[in-house]
Amino acid sequence: MFSRSTAAGPPSMTARTSRRRPRPVSSESSTSQPKAKRRRSALSDQTFLPSDAALKEVKSLKCAGAVAKREDTTQIRQMPQRGLPMRWKKAKAGERVSGDDGSVILTCNDTYTVSRLPAWPERLHTDGAARQHGAIYSDFGYALNISHTHALVWPYTVNTQSPETFTFALPRPSKYTSDYLPLGSLVSPSSPSAEPGLVVVMPHGRVIHWESVASAATLDLIQQQRNGVELMIPGLMAHETVITIRNAESAGFILGFSTGRIACMGVRDGQGRPAVSVEFLRDPSGLLGKGGIFGSLRNVLSSSGWKGRLAAVKASPSMRSSERIVVSATSKARLHVWNIHRGGPHTLLTEFEASNPIIQALKDTDPTLAGMQDDTFEVLDITFVPGSPNTDNAGTGISYGAADETSLLLLTSIGRRDNLHYALVQVILAPESLEIGFARHLRSYKNLVNDGAISKPKLYLPSPALVAFVVFDGAVIVASVAKRSDSPGAQLFADSQMQPDIFEDVVDFRKDVGVEIVGSGFEEPLSPYHAADDAKNQRHRIKHPAVLVLVKGSGMIRIAVTDPYRLTSNTPQQVTAKSKLEQAVFFGSQDNNPLNFRGSAELQFTAEELAEAALELSHDIISSSTPYIPSLPASVEQNLRRRAAALHDLALHLKLTGAHLHRVTRWKLLWNAEKIAGAALVWDRYDALLQTKPVGKKYGLLNDLVLYIHERYKTQPLPEAGELDRIRHWFINDIYRFQIAIPWAYQVVKHNYQEGQKDHASIMALVSEADDFVIGALGAAFSFRQKNLGLYGLQDEQVESGILIDGYEGLPEFWTSTHFITENVKRQTDLARALATEYWQKTLDEGGPDPKVVSKIRLENVELVDLCCRSTRERYRWLLSRDEESVRNSGVHLRNASIRIREIQIEKLAELRLVDEAIELAETHRVFSSLVKLVVEELERLQQIYDESVAVGGTVVPRAADNQRRASHMQDLIQGYVENYGADFANALYTYYVNRGELYALISDTQGKDGFLSDFLRSHGEFAKVSWINEVTREKDYDRAAKSLLDLGLQRERDVWSKKVELSIGKLARMTGRKYSEAGGLIIPDGGEVELAPVKKQLSLLQIQESIYSHIYPSIRAAIDDNAELQLALEAYGNKGKITDTLFAILTEKLASLIGRRTMNAMDTVDLLTLMGPSSRMEQHSLIDGQEFYYALQALNSGPEDNEEIEEAERLIWRRCMLRDDWRNINDTDMKDDRQVQDRLRRTAIYTTLRACFKNLLTVNEGLFEKSSHFRVISPQDAIGAYTTHLDDRFSGCDASIKDPLLSDMRMEDANLEHHTETCRLQKWFETALDLASQSVAQEANEESESGVAMQEVARELESMEEQIAARSKNTGLNLLRSKPRFKPRPQFLKATGGFGGSVRGI
């Protein structure tokens, strides 16, 4: 034991003295101390504050030297002071206050609670940025904070925001703020005092001790001097500083030095008087801690010295009076165990090199650490395992060990910056051996230790040793070290060397607000192994094991484990995604909350876990299932706002943390928030209405609505539990089923009316409340959705007016557009409008509806229409996105139906004089048909009023002028709509005028120069009859005109005359619009023959139809109507008796089309010509007589392109041609000369048809003519079988009842032809007729050639005469061609109707 300097003052700690306390040797060092008094000083904290310091220096205080050195007592010295209690503001309404201690809960879960204690000195608030550190002493109930200049001591457990604070000015503070801070510790109270003492060790070795913080302050105030004992630690090396101090009372205090040395410090002498003494610890060999400078140098330089820097020194809990076990650990896990007694005696019990066993244990229990370098291993802190020998802490905590063993828990780290790993390792030290108890890997924190931090990592293991706390400078790890039950599952984990899921969480502090943990301590409930002094010194009852941290810039924070024994159960607490979200949501929004709730990277959950947790928490909030929001609020409004804020905080937290959530999850979270927003607005309106109703008449729509909802869709209140208010109960518990309630708004009105409540005033009041409910629910929901898409990560969604435009695939049904909502909102909208129309602006009888209610319903109908349109549109868009065809079909049906419903609802608003609102709705929902109607009709109404209001003398009454200005505004609106909406609005405008019969006026109007009219006409084929006029007159586009006409004539036109004109003009327009090449030739080499071939065929077919009509016209000329014309035609050409009834019906149908001037295709014409008989009136003759079958072949030539179809139809024509004559009579040549036989054969249909074909070059007979055709001569044998098994394409869609009779008739024609061939030699007669026809045509050709010579001579003479006439009239003809026409006809069908609307028709 080293010798103390004689100037040191206090006697040796080992000197034996009598129990009687001697007199003091000096009045300075032994002033009698009165009992401490709870007296408040009149001095304030500012009285003894030092002057302002520089940025890097702290001004030295004028103080005396060491206690042993006398100073002039007349010099006033800085002294400790008591801080005055001050009144601070109370906790805010939103903050959660815990118990009677007044602490504010910063966060909590089912494992721990983090709270901020109210007691915090004012000086730390005002000077919180100064460099400082401290400690908490739960046994005393006091906290200590030390800066370079002052030490503060205050009771941290008191329920006041301004605790009684003892302030001590420190002598000789450091010059620079970056220097080591002074160290300090509270000292157990002496007998006459209840308050602890204070010992402060300056970094350079000066020790100051105050026996009692309270009495020291009292005496200093009285004597105006510091009442304390000082000592300068002897034997310090150059630049050696004190780096740690540990309370090991009653054995003293343990000091750790920067050189690695350890010393024992006492603050009382053998008689219990204040006296400071220091003695360095040394081993028996004298190599460690030997006093003197040479011993110190030998200690530092010796190879057997301390391995690594000193990491931690800890003293065991009180074993017996005056004795403590002290363990020191270096950063490389060299452990020394000392037994220290009061007064200085100490013994080195054992020492171990524990690094290798610990590293091996870490790697064995976690294979991922196998690649870690051993030299990266460090020990950061140690602590004793609480308990007594041969105990295991109630069978749940860490085993303590045997009586001669020391059980330690080490905080270790291994790895480097990019891969750092922390772990807790239990080490059991025996006199001759070291055993590794267990290794607990910490996986929730990977940050590097901040070497520049004031507070180094600290490890705490409070009783009952179930939870360990690891305190860093910016985070606290809460980790379970409890034993798990010996279940099969635990055995499997042990066999697989895997750790089961055990509780571990991080309480992280915010880095952005400058908070830092500068001190810490722990609390533990008293247990049997605590010493009696511990129970005596403990000033407050501790319920739960906890760690306390001093947070610079925030205050004192307690982290208490509320149910530690559950950690040993089969269902221990777990860190779940939901619990982390709950902490962030319900505590992250608190003002001045120093905690960081965004979570560390090591505690990330999978996307599925996070999504499930977010949805579950959102549901808990909206259904009031969470314990963090009271389910029995005094104000439903405040409850809804708190729930809305919680949902907002949840969404904000997910957004800020970058949570990867599925799109469906994001939409579901948004929908829950929408429901709360809608419910809040509904409640506000209900509450406001309830306040206006008199007592006894407060029953309203919501009472019935909640009552009518089925029990399965609401939470039933329990009257026996005091739940009597159904409406409040529903708003608190059932908002998540809000979509169930909205349809009932209309149903309540309907049911009340059906049940006999026909009082109009009551019904109107219910309708008004129903409007409030629907508008509040859906209106707020759509508005909230539109504004908060970005908050929920849906900023990329295309949403308009709260309605998703597209992308419904994969999304569930939207709650704002269920089937029941869309249907009932529509009905409610119609009902409200009908009632408002019924009662608005009408004199009401007494007892009728309140005019204010009627006016309210009228104005609210605009919002109802808007919500109905939006909900319906959302509904059918979602239906159209489904995979099921039946669902998509229902979506198509709803979309088509909603178009007309939407138009009606918007247009009906005009009846309520809500034209401007209706126009705005039509604009919003782009209902251009209604927009056009509203604007144009309003424009015309205003013009009519203006015309009627003009005075006779030409003056205008003021109101008429206002109407005229409004009319001008409407005209500007129309022009603006055209510019903004383009063709969509223009098409609606033109359609409106077309429906009013003003199409020709539009075409003739010359104001339209924007091309919308042309596009409109081109897009509607039904306007082709007039669109070509627009193309020619306005667009000068002959090709488009030709296209319109030809398309109309070829595809859609049914009138003969119109079709002929359209095709003819179209052909002319096509030729007119033909583009020529630079060489002067047509771009199309064949001159358009191929392109116009279908037109020529149709014109040819029309010409044949005209010839047939001319043929039958004489027989129907005298008819008085269409029916008479058909009857007369059938009488003349019906061929009755010669064809079957089925064929006669076909003939009747074709004759009706012919007489009605309807176009017929080629096959219809063939049927007409081949079935009609010769005229029964012999006096009528026409060009077609006898050549019906020839014209039928011509019609077929202008018909289908299919060669097989043409061949089949050609055989049908020849078969009917051969069956036209009586071959039995023709074949009977008995008693007839050749002339008679030939004349009779020339009158047959075969002969006339063959001769016409030869003459017109339709067929080829053995190369007689050079030009050929695809038609050929069909013999009777070849004509058999036409259409006997199938019919042409006209009958493809007919059923068997029509097809079978026709096929039967065809087979009957075949049978008749075969009969004539067999019995009447039809084949021979056909050959004879063929020969006669060819000879007749050849003879006629020769005769025409002989007469041609004479005709040529006459032609020459005529040519000479024409030349003379041309020479005489040349000049006259030219003048006539150049002269101006004297008359220009004006086409009447283009004449505009004019009128007030003419100014908008040309748009």
Side-chain angles (χ1 to χ4, degrees):
M1 193 171 297
F2 61 89
S3 297
R4 182 168 42 83
S5 173
T6 58
S12 171
M13 296 177 61
T14 58
R16 299 182 62 85
T17 60
S18 64
R19 298 182 62 182
R20 184 176 179 180
R21 181 173 297 179
R23 294 180 179 181
V25 298
S26 168
S27 62
E28 179 181 353
S29 60
S30 62
T31 303
S32 61
Q33 302 177 7
K35 293 183 178 181
K37 297 181 180 179
R38 294 290 186 179
R39 179 181 177 185
R40 296 184 179 179
S41 172
L43 301 177
S44 67
D45 283 345
Q46 305 299 325
T47 303
F48 302 102
L49 284 177
S51 59
D52 295 338
L55 293 177
K56 293 186 177 180
E57 296 186 4
V58 181
K59 287 186 177 181
S60 301
L61 299 176
K62 294 181 179 181
C63 56
V67 174
K69 183 177 180 181
R70 293 182 176 270
E71 298 288 346
D72 186 2
T73 59
T74 61
Q75 185 178 4
I76 300 177
R77 308 273 300 278
Q78 290 285 356
M79 66 194 77
Q81 312 124 31
R82 296 189 185 187
L84 292 178
M86 301 179 63
R87 296 182 181 272
W88 280 31
K89 60 182 180 180
K90 296 181 179 180
K92 295 183 178 180
E95 296 178 339
R96 295 171 173 83
V97 179
S98 173
D100 299 331
D101 59 356
S103 60
V104 177
I105 297 178
L106 300 179
T107 187
C108 67
N109 55 26
D110 59 352
T111 303
Y112 61 82
T113 298
V114 182
S115 57
R116 176 161 43 204
L117 302 185
W120 191 246
E122 175 66 19
R123 185 186 187 93
L124 296 182
H125 283 286
T126 58
D127 194 23
R131 196 161 181 263
Q132 58 191 267
H133 66 169
I136 299 99
Y137 300 89
S138 60
D139 291 342
F140 307 141
Y142 279 84
L144 170 66
N145 181 277
I146 300 178
S147 65
H148 282 290
T149 59
H150 289 81
L152 304 179
V153 180
W154 73 96
Y156 74 87
T157 59
V158 295
N159 185 3
T160 176
Q161 293 184 348
S162 182
E164 185 179 28
T165 304
F166 306 103
T167 304
F168 300 86
L170 303 180
R172 300 180 184 180
S174 300
K175 185 177 181 181
Y176 299 100
T177 59
S178 59
D179 290 346
Y180 286 107
L181 286 168
L183 303 176
S185 176
L186 296 184
V187 183
S188 298
S190 59
S191 298
S193 175
E195 282 78 12
L198 173 65
V199 59
V200 176
V201 182
M202 305 300 288
H204 48 73
R206 180 175 295 276
V207 181
I208 308 101
H209 171 231
W210 291 270
E211 187 176 14
S212 172
V213 293
S215 60
T218 303
L219 290 176
D220 286 341
L221 289 174
I222 297 174
Q223 302 177 6
Q224 295 294 302
Q225 62 181 3
R226 183 173 62 248
N227 183 262
V229 179
E230 298 185 6
L231 172 72
M232 187 66 187
I233 299 176
L236 289 179
M237 300 172 56
H239 306 294
E240 185 179 22
T241 59
V242 182
I243 61 174
T244 184
I245 182 172
R246 289 289 179 267
N247 190 320
E249 293 185 295
S250 59
F253 294 86
I254 306 300
L255 302 180
F257 296 84
S258 58
T259 57
R261 294 195 298 167
I262 301 175
C264 177
M265 180 181 69
V267 294
R268 292 189 179 92
D269 60 11
Q271 287 76 32
R273 293 176 301 181
V276 179
S277 61
V278 177
E279 182 175 352
F280 287 91
L281 304 186
R282 59 187 183 277
D283 61 359
S285 63
L287 296 176
L288 297 177
K290 181 172 290 187
I293 185 172
F294 296 104
S296 300
L297 288 174
R298 192 184 310 113
N299 174 35
V300 173
L301 299 177
S302 173
S303 59
S304 62
W306 301 72
K307 183 179 180 182
R309 60 178 175 81
L310 181 64
V313 177
K314 288 294 176 67
S316 68
S318 299
M319 298 172 52
R320 59 180 65 92
S321 179
S322 304
E323 183 180 355
R324 297 290 284 272
I325 296 296
V326 174
V327 177
S328 65
T330 66
S331 60
K332 296 304 179 182
R334 183 175 181 85
L335 305 177
H336 290 77
V337 182
W338 308 83
N339 188 1
I340 300 178
H341 297 265
R342 179 190 298 174
H346 55 274
T347 305
L348 178 64
L349 300 179
T350 184
E351 60 178 314
F352 291 99
E353 288 286 351
S355 59
N356 290 334
I358 294 175
I359 294 173
Q360 188 62 41
L362 292 177
K363 293 184 177 181
D364 290 343
T365 54
D366 189 352
T368 61
L369 303 180
M372 296 285 189
Q373 298 294 327
D374 292 352
D375 60 352
T376 63
F377 170 79
E378 285 189 7
V379 174
L380 302 178
D381 196 16
I382 63 175
T383 187
F384 282 85
V385 175
S388 56
N390 301 315
T391 64
D392 60 352
N393 295 302
T396 56
I398 306 174
S399 298
Y400 185 85
D404 59 345
E405 296 178 340
T406 300
S407 180
L408 302 175
L409 189 64
L410 278 64
L411 172 62
T412 66
S413 69
I414 187 171
R416 301 188 185 277
R417 178 182 300 271
D418 56 342
N419 189 15
L420 187 62
H421 185 83
Y422 295 101
L424 302 178
V425 180
Q426 183 191 17
V427 176
I428 301 175
L429 301 178
E432 301 296 334
S433 64
L434 180 146
E435 179 184 352
I436 303 298
F438 72 92
R440 168 70 163 86
H441 298 273
L442 303 178
R443 308 187 186 278
S444 60
Y445 191 79
K446 299 292 183 182
N447 294 358
L448 290 174
V449 175
N450 184 5
D451 295 333
I454 297 176
S455 177
K456 302 304 179 183
K458 294 291 189 297
L459 172 63
Y460 298 101
L461 185 65
S463 175
L466 298 176
V467 180
F469 299 93
V470 181
V471 181
F472 293 90
D473 64 310
V476 177
I477 301 177
V478 183
S480 169
V481 291
K483 290 182 179 180
R484 301 300 296 272
S485 61
D486 297 331
S487 62
Q491 184 64 36
L492 289 176
F493 280 115
D495 294 342
S496 61
Q497 294 186 347
M498 294 177 58
Q499 286 188 335
D501 291 335
I502 54 179
F503 183 85
E504 179 183 335
D505 199 3
V506 176
V507 180
D508 196 15
F509 289 81
R510 297 170 59 184
K511 307 297 189 299
D512 56 336
V513 293
V515 298
E516 180 185 2
I517 297 176
V518 296
S520 59
F522 71 95
E523 293 179 334
E524 61 181 0
L526 290 177
S527 58
Y529 62 82
H530 280 88
D533 291 342
D534 294 337
K536 178 181 178 182
N537 293 333
Q538 197 172 78
R539 297 172 61 94
H540 67 286
R541 182 169 175 264
I542 299 175
K543 300 178 181 179
H544 310 292
V547 67
L548 298 108
V549 292
L550 295 174
V551 182
K552 185 174 69 173
S554 179
M556 183 178 294
I557 308 298
R558 173 189 285 142
I559 305 173
V561 177
T562 55
D563 188 8
Y565 288 99
R566 183 183 165 189
L567 297 171
T568 64
S569 66
N570 292 328
T571 58
Q573 304 96 316
Q574 297 294 330
V575 178
T576 63
K578 182 182 177 183
S579 67
K580 302 302 290 184
L581 288 179
E582 286 176 336
Q583 294 182 55
V585 168
F586 297 109
F587 301 98
S589 60
Q590 287 185 7
D591 294 337
N592 301 322
N593 194 328
L595 302 184
N596 174 29
F597 294 97
R598 297 188 182 181
S600 62
E602 295 77 20
L603 280 177
Q604 295 298 325
F605 301 93
T606 64
E608 292 76 12
E609 291 174 337
L610 192 60
E612 183 180 358
L615 289 175
E616 185 177 350
L617 177 57
S618 179
H619 177 77
D620 289 348
I621 294 172
I622 195 174
S623 62
S624 297
S625 302
T626 175
Y628 299 101
I629 298 178
S631 60
L632 184 60
S635 171
V636 176
E637 176 188 2
Q638 293 298 326
N639 176 267
L640 290 171
R641 294 188 187 281
R642 288 188 64 179
R643 286 193 277 170
L647 292 177
H648 176 274
D649 294 340
L650 172 61
L652 183 62
H653 175 75
L654 294 173
K655 179 181 180 181
L656 294 178
T657 55
H660 298 287
L661 301 179
H662 192 270
R663 179 171 176 249
V664 174
T665 302
R666 297 183 183 276
W667 272 105
K668 288 182 177 180
L669 294 174
L670 175 58
W671 291 340
N672 283 344
E674 292 170 5
K675 293 177 182 179
I676 288 292
L681 186 55
V682 169
W683 174 262
D684 289 345
R685 295 190 175 189
Y686 166 75
D687 193 50
L689 180 64
L690 201 63
Q691 295 175 13
T692 62
K693 289 184 177 182
V695 178
K697 296 184 178 180
K698 294 183 180 293
Y699 196 92
L701 177 118
L702 271 178
N703 298 86
D704 285 339
L705 187 147
V706 174
L707 183 63
Y708 288 171
I709 296 177
H710 195 274
E711 287 77 5
R712 289 182 299 175
Y713 304 113
K714 63 183 177 183
T715 305
Q716 289 295 329
L718 300 176
E720 60 274 13
E723 298 174 349
L724 305 177
D725 192 337
R726 287 180 174 270
I727 296 178
R728 290 177 181 269
H729 187 270
W730 183 82
F731 270 97
I732 293 171
N733 297 281
D734 295 310
I735 292 302
Y736 70 97
R737 292 181 283 208
F738 207 17
Q739 67 276 11
I740 302 296
I742 295 176
W744 277 106
Y746 167 77
Q747 294 296 327
V748 168
V749 178
K750 184 183 74 172
H751 288 179
N752 275 272
Y753 184 81
Q754 291 176 347
E755 290 175 1
Q757 186 178 347
K758 294 182 170 56
D759 177 26
H760 291 184
S762 300
I763 294 297
M764 291 295 286
L766 282 178
V767 171
S768 175
E769 294 185 40
D771 287 353
D772 290 341
F773 191 90
V774 173
I775 293 173
L778 294 182
F782 287 132
S783 177
F784 184 91
R785 182 183 302 171
Q786 187 71 41
K787 295 178 182 178
N788 292 275
L789 289 171
L791 177 64
Y792 286 85
L794 298 171
Q795 60 276 0
D796 296 332
E797 301 284 353
Q798 299 298 318
V799 176
E800 182 180 12
S801 300
I803 303 300
L804 187 63
I805 298 177
D806 55 14
Y808 286 83
E809 294 77 8
L811 293 179
E813 184 180 33
F814 281 63
W815 77 273
T816 50
S817 57
T818 64
H819 170 73
F820 294 108
I821 286 180
T822 55
E823 286 295 321
N824 285 274
V825 170
K826 172 191 171 297
R827 296 174 183 176
Q828 182 174 334
T829 303
D830 295 339
L831 174 63
R833 183 187 64 251
L835 292 175
T837 305
E838 177 69 22
Y839 295 109
W840 183 59
Q841 287 189 338
K842 292 183 180 180
T843 303
L844 302 176
D845 299 333
E846 184 177 355
D850 187 350
K852 294 182 179 179
V853 175
V854 175
S855 179
K856 174 180 176 292
I857 294 175
R858 166 181 169 267
L859 296 175
E860 288 178 342
N861 199 250
V862 178
E863 295 182 71
L864 282 178
V865 172
D866 179 41
L867 295 174
C868 181
C869 293
R870 286 196 270 177
S871 181
T872 304
R873 183 183 297 114
E874 184 180 71
R875 177 67 181 175
Y876 71 67
R877 285 177 178 173
W878 181 79
L879 292 174
L880 291 174
S881 69
R882 302 299 93 187
D883 296 331
E884 300 82 0
E885 184 178 358
S886 59
V887 179
R888 291 198 305 271
N889 292 337
S890 63
V892 173
H893 174 73
L894 179 60
R895 179 183 59 187
N896 297 336
S898 66
I899 294 174
R900 184 54 188 158
I901 294 173
R902 187 171 52 199
E903 293 174 353
I904 294 174
Q905 289 180 336
I906 293 177
E907 293 168 9
K908 285 289 185 180
L909 292 175
E911 299 179 3
L912 296 173
R913 298 291 180 85
L914 298 171
V915 176
D916 292 338
E917 291 81 355
I919 290 175
E920 184 179 356
L921 276 182
E923 289 182 36
T924 301
H925 297 283
R926 303 176 71 88
V927 187
F928 296 120
S929 58
S930 298
L931 183 60
V932 167
K933 183 177 181 181
L934 290 169
V935 175
V936 173
E937 290 184 356
E938 179 69 7
L939 191 62
E940 293 175 348
R941 186 185 68 85
L942 292 171
Q943 184 62 35
Q944 181 181 0
I945 296 175
Y946 176 80
D947 295 339
E948 295 174 354
S949 302
V950 176
V952 177
T955 60
V956 180
V957 297
R959 187 170 182 180
D962 294 339
N963 291 335
Q964 178 60 16
R965 284 191 292 271
R966 179 172 171 80
S968 177
H969 172 67
M970 290 295 168
Q971 290 178 342
D972 295 339
L973 280 181
I974 292 177
Q975 187 61 39
Y977 292 149
V978 173
E979 294 175 358
N980 295 331
Y981 301 121
D984 293 336
F985 178 80
N987 290 342
L989 179 66
Y990 300 144
T991 302
Y992 175 77
Y993 279 109
V994 168
N995 295 335
R996 291 175 50 165
E998 300 184 22
L999 177 60
Y1000 290 102
L1002 286 174
I1003 297 175
S1004 61
D1005 199 325
T1006 59
Q1007 294 184 21
K1009 295 182 173 59
D1010 49 21
F1012 291 137
L1013 178 59
S1014 299
D1015 294 338
F1016 171 74
L1017 295 174
R1018 292 167 184 169
S1019 62
H1020 294 75
E1022 61 271 21
F1023 300 147
K1025 290 187 176 182
V1026 292
S1027 66
W1028 70 272
I1029 303 175
N1030 178 74
E1031 301 291 354
V1032 172
T1033 59
R1034 180 174 296 178
E1035 301 294 338
K1036 307 300 181 183
D1037 192 339
Y1038 297 102
D1039 282 334
R1040 283 191 176 273
K1043 180 180 179 181
S1044 298
L1045 287 169
L1046 295 178
D1047 181 70
L1048 175 63
L1050 292 173
Q1051 303 296 333
R1052 296 189 298 276
E1053 187 58 69
R1054 296 291 296 160
D1055 183 75
V1056 172
W1057 184 88
S1058 298
K1059 184 171 185 176
K1060 186 175 182 180
V1061 172
E1062 290 159 3
L1063 292 177
S1064 299
I1065 299 177
K1067 181 179 178 182
L1068 178 62
R1070 175 65 72 197
M1071 301 304 297
T1072 304
R1074 183 72 62 203
K1075 305 297 183 181
Y1076 288 88
S1077 64
E1078 295 180 357
L1082 291 172
I1083 292 179
I1084 302 177
D1086 61 357
E1089 291 295 330
V1090 175
E1091 182 183 7
L1092 296 176
V1095 178
K1096 292 180 179 180
K1097 286 185 176 183
Q1098 289 294 317
L1099 288 174
S1100 175
L1101 196 59
L1102 290 174
Q1103 185 62 40
I1104 295 174
Q1105 191 169 344
E1106 286 291 332
S1107 299
I1108 301 173
Y1109 184 80
S1110 299
H1111 174 64
I1112 68 170
Y1113 180 72
S1115 63
I1116 64 174
R1117 183 165 44 193
I1120 61 175
D1121 56 20
D1122 295 341
N1123 291 332
E1125 287 180 343
L1126 180 57
Q1127 293 300 323
L1128 291 176
L1130 289 174
E1131 291 176 2
Y1133 303 98
N1135 212 10
K1136 189 68 173 176
K1138 297 183 179 179
I1139 59 177
T1140 63
D1141 292 340
T1142 302
L1143 296 177
F1144 182 79
I1146 293 177
L1147 175 62
T1148 302
E1149 178 186 352
K1150 306 312 173 188
L1151 277 174
S1153 297
L1154 178 69
I1155 296 172
R1157 309 300 286 157
R1158 296 189 294 271
T1159 60
M1160 294 186 293
N1161 58 29
M1163 293 303 298
D1164 290 338
T1165 306
V1166 167
D1167 280 341
L1168 174 62
L1169 289 170
T1170 57
L1171 293 177
M1172 64 183 294
S1175 175
S1176 60
R1177 300 176 184 179
M1178 302 303 297
E1179 69 278 4
Q1180 296 179 359
H1181 298 282
S1182 67
L1183 181 64
I1184 203 173
D1185 279 343
Q1187 298 191 22
E1188 293 88 348
F1189 298 98
Y1190 165 69
Y1191 280 103
L1193 290 172
Q1194 278 191 328
L1196 185 62
N1197 190 41
S1198 301
E1201 299 291 337
D1202 189 1
N1203 291 332
E1204 294 182 0
E1205 188 73 18
I1206 293 175
E1207 180 182 354
E1208 195 84 3
E1210 184 183 10
R1211 293 164 60 198
L1212 174 65
I1213 295 172
W1214 283 108
R1215 186 176 67 192
R1216 290 180 177 174
C1217 176
M1218 296 172 187
L1219 293 175
R1220 174 58 61 89
D1221 298 294
D1222 185 3
W1223 290 105
R1224 181 177 298 178
N1225 186 17
I1226 296 172
N1227 187 57
D1228 185 6
T1229 57
D1230 187 26
M1231 304 298 291
K1232 297 178 183 177
D1233 55 23
D1234 289 343
R1235 184 180 181 84
Q1236 290 177 325
V1237 173
Q1238 290 181 2
D1239 291 342
R1240 181 67 185 88
L1241 186 58
R1242 287 190 180 97
R1243 292 195 299 271
T1244 60
I1246 289 180
Y1247 175 82
T1248 55
T1249 302
L1250 288 172
R1251 190 179 186 282
C1253 290
F1254 287 144
K1255 185 176 182 180
N1256 291 280
L1257 307 180
L1258 283 174
T1259 61
V1260 177
N1261 184 21
E1262 298 179 353
L1264 180 62
F1265 303 102
E1266 296 179 359
K1267 294 184 178 181
S1268 62
S1269 171
H1270 58 271
F1271 288 96
R1272 58 190 179 87
V1273 177
I1274 303 296
S1275 65
Q1277 190 64 35
D1278 295 335
I1280 295 174
Y1283 292 118
T1284 56
T1285 59
H1286 67 281
L1287 300 175
D1288 60 84
D1289 294 338
R1290 294 175 298 163
F1291 303 96
S1292 59
C1294 298
D1295 56 16
S1297 62
I1298 297 176
K1299 292 182 179 180
D1300 292 346
L1302 282 175
L1303 291 173
S1304 178
D1305 291 344
M1306 297 297 177
R1307 288 190 286 269
M1308 185 181 295
E1309 288 181 354
D1310 261 13
N1312 292 337
L1313 184 60
E1314 291 177 351
H1315 176 73
H1316 291 318
T1317 303
E1318 295 174 358
T1319 60
C1320 301
R1321 298 179 298 175
L1322 179 57
Q1323 182 66 32
K1324 299 295 183 181
W1325 288 112
F1326 175 79
E1327 295 173 356
T1328 302
L1330 179 64
D1331 183 58
L1332 286 175
S1334 61
Q1335 291 179 7
S1336 175
V1337 172
Q1339 183 179 355
E1340 184 177 352
N1342 291 333
E1343 292 176 355
E1344 289 178 356
S1345 62
E1346 291 176 356
S1347 62
V1349 177
M1351 292 299 295
Q1352 290 178 0
E1353 293 179 358
V1354 175
R1356 284 193 293 269
E1357 293 179 2
L1358 291 174
E1359 183 178 356
S1360 177
M1361 294 174 64
E1362 289 176 354
E1363 290 176 357
Q1364 295 176 4
I1365 294 171
R1368 290 195 301 266
S1369 58
K1370 179 177 181 181
N1371 293 332
T1372 303
L1374 291 174
N1375 292 333
L1376 290 174
L1377 291 173
R1378 295 171 181 172
S1379 63
K1380 183 178 181 181
R1382 289 177 292 177
F1383 172 74
K1384 181 178 181 181
R1386 182 179 180 182
Q1388 294 299 318
F1389 65 94
L1390 292 178
K1391 183 177 181 181
T1393 60
F1396 186 70
S1399 61
V1400 298
R1401 295 190 185 106
I1403 295 176

